[in-house]
């Protein structure tokens, strides 16, 4: 694959001192790719076109639009009173080493409720795989997005999510990264209506020489909007990770609240961890908080395991698995939970192989 188009993705809403090169990420992608395989189980087509979602901003930005043109494969789904409470499964696979792209857009009518479970990389053939998921969430609607990343070591995923939430609209996001390849992941949410909200739970396991690049942006626009971001991850070997988390209180978003936290467990001498939580504020009467906990297994924890005959490698595996298990138990879909459990065991065994 000849990568000859450079684009800037995962940009911070406001630039910071860029000595660590965290304001954005430069990628070389060849836009001349085919559509990926998108198999949908459940749901129904919406009375809308893909172009109706062009106005929804995403974190990858307009530079990446070329990847989601006419060549991209996908569907526009609808959520309304007729399928309230339904779970829709979307299986996304690459279609070749030259790269392939796709999308899934959801129009959520007022009062609707839907869960969308997207699984990436199962039986993928390698190459690059950009995929965009966008939501238009109307008044009192609730969308729950679950994304499971399981790509092989030869696949690089660009996951691009954007949403707009009207009054009392809610987007809940659960992302679990247990793939072997690189991941560039972005979620942008516009809390437009009064009391709109979003909750994000993200778990990742980075190992060998993987790159994990995460950018979350929540724009508080309406009054009394709320967001909560929780990120938990483990880095091993020589893995590299960047986490950008931005909460932006716009003018007019009074009485809004936003919180973000990241916990990182470092289990390798050569890991590279970068974390930049960012709170922007143009409104006085708001509450925003952020924090990060980064560290290794402490001596007391290691002593506890050693006193029970458990060596360091096994202890690290147990801690890693425990952190991920807390998350995948939240999927609330038995078959998907079993799939994640099986993939996690495979990935942890893969990590034991030599670099």
């Amino acid at each position: 694959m000849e990568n000859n188009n450079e684009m800037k993705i995962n940009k911070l809403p406001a630039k910071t001192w860029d000595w660590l090169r965290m304001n954005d990420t430069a990628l070389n992608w060849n836009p001349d790719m085919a559509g990926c395989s998108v198999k949908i189980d459940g749901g129904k087509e919406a009375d809308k076109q893909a172009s109706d979602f062009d106005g929804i901003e995403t974190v990858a930005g307009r530079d990446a639009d070329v990847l989601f043109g006419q060549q991209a494969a996908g569907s526009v789904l609808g959520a309304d009173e007729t399928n309230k409470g339904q779970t829709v499964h979307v299986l996304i696979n690459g279609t070749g080493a030259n790269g392939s792209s796709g999308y899934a857009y959801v129009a959520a009518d007022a009062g609707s409720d839907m869960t969308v479970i997207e699984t990436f990389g199962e039986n993928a053939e390698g190459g690059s795989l950009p995929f965009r998921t966008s939501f238009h969430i109307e008044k009192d609607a609730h969308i729950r997005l679950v994304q499971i990343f399981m790509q092989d070591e030869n696949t690089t995923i660009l996951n691009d999510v954007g949403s707009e939430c009207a009054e009392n609209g809610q987007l809940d996001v659960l992302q679990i990264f247990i793939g072997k390849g690189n991941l560039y992941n972005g979620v942008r949410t516009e809390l437009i209506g009064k009391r709109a909200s979003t909750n994000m739970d993200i778990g990742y396991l980075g190992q060998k020489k993987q790159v994990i690049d995460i950018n979350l942006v929540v724009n508080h626009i309406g009054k009394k909007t709320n967001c909560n971001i929780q990120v938990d991850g483990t880095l091993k070997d020589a893995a590299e990770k960047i986490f950008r988390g931005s909460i932006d209180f716009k003018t007019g978003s009074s009485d809004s609240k936003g919180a973000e936290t990241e916990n990182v467990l470092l289990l390798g001498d050569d890991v590279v961890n970068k974390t930049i939580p960012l709170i922007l504020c143009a409104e006085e009467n708001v509450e925003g908080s952020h924090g990060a906990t980064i560290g290794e297994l402490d001596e007391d924890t290691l002593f506890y395991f050693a006193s029970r005959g458990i060596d360091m490698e096994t202890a690290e595996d147990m801690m890693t698995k425990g952190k991920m298990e807390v998350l995948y138990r939240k999927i609330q879909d038995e078959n998907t939970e079993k799939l994640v459990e099986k993939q996690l065991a495979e990935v942890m065994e893969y990590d034991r192989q030599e670099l």
Side-chain angles (χ1 to χ4, degrees), residues 77-99:
L77 303 175
D80 55 31
E81 289 292 335
T82 66
N83 59 0
K84 193 169 184 177
Q86 186 178 33
T87 296
V88 178
H89 291 265
V90 183
L91 178 61
I92 303 152
N93 292 322
T95 55
N98 289 330

Side-chain angles (χ1 to χ4, degrees), residues 251-278:
T251 301
S253 62
S254 59
D255 298 316
S256 295
K257 298 180 180 179
E260 59 178 324
T261 304
E262 185 190 25
N263 300 309
V264 189
L265 180 61
L266 305 179
L267 299 179
D269 295 334
D270 298 319
V271 301
V272 177
N273 177 69
K274 300 177 183 179
T275 297
I276 180 166
L278 179 64

Side-chain angles (χ1 to χ4, degrees), residues 310-350:
I310 300 173
D311 60 39
M312 181 179 294
E313 182 178 353
T314 303
E316 291 178 349
D317 285 351
M318 292 174 66
M319 295 295 291
T320 299
K321 183 178 179 181
K323 287 168 68 71
M324 298 299 289
E325 186 173 357
V326 169
L327 280 176
Y328 73 70
R329 294 303 181 193
K330 295 181 180 181
I331 296 174
Q332 299 174 16
D333 182 85
E334 184 177 357
N335 290 336
T336 305
E337 288 182 10
K338 289 180 179 178
L339 181 66
V340 171
E341 187 173 21
K342 179 181 177 181
Q343 173 71 7
L344 179 60
E346 179 182 323
V347 167
M348 293 179 69
E349 180 63 30
Y350 166 76

Side-chain angles (χ1 to χ4, degrees), residues 47-62:
D47 187 21
K48 291 183 179 295
Q49 305 296 320
S51 59
D52 294 328
F53 292 79
D54 288 347
I56 297 180
E57 298 288 343
T58 64
V59 172
R62 292 304 176 189

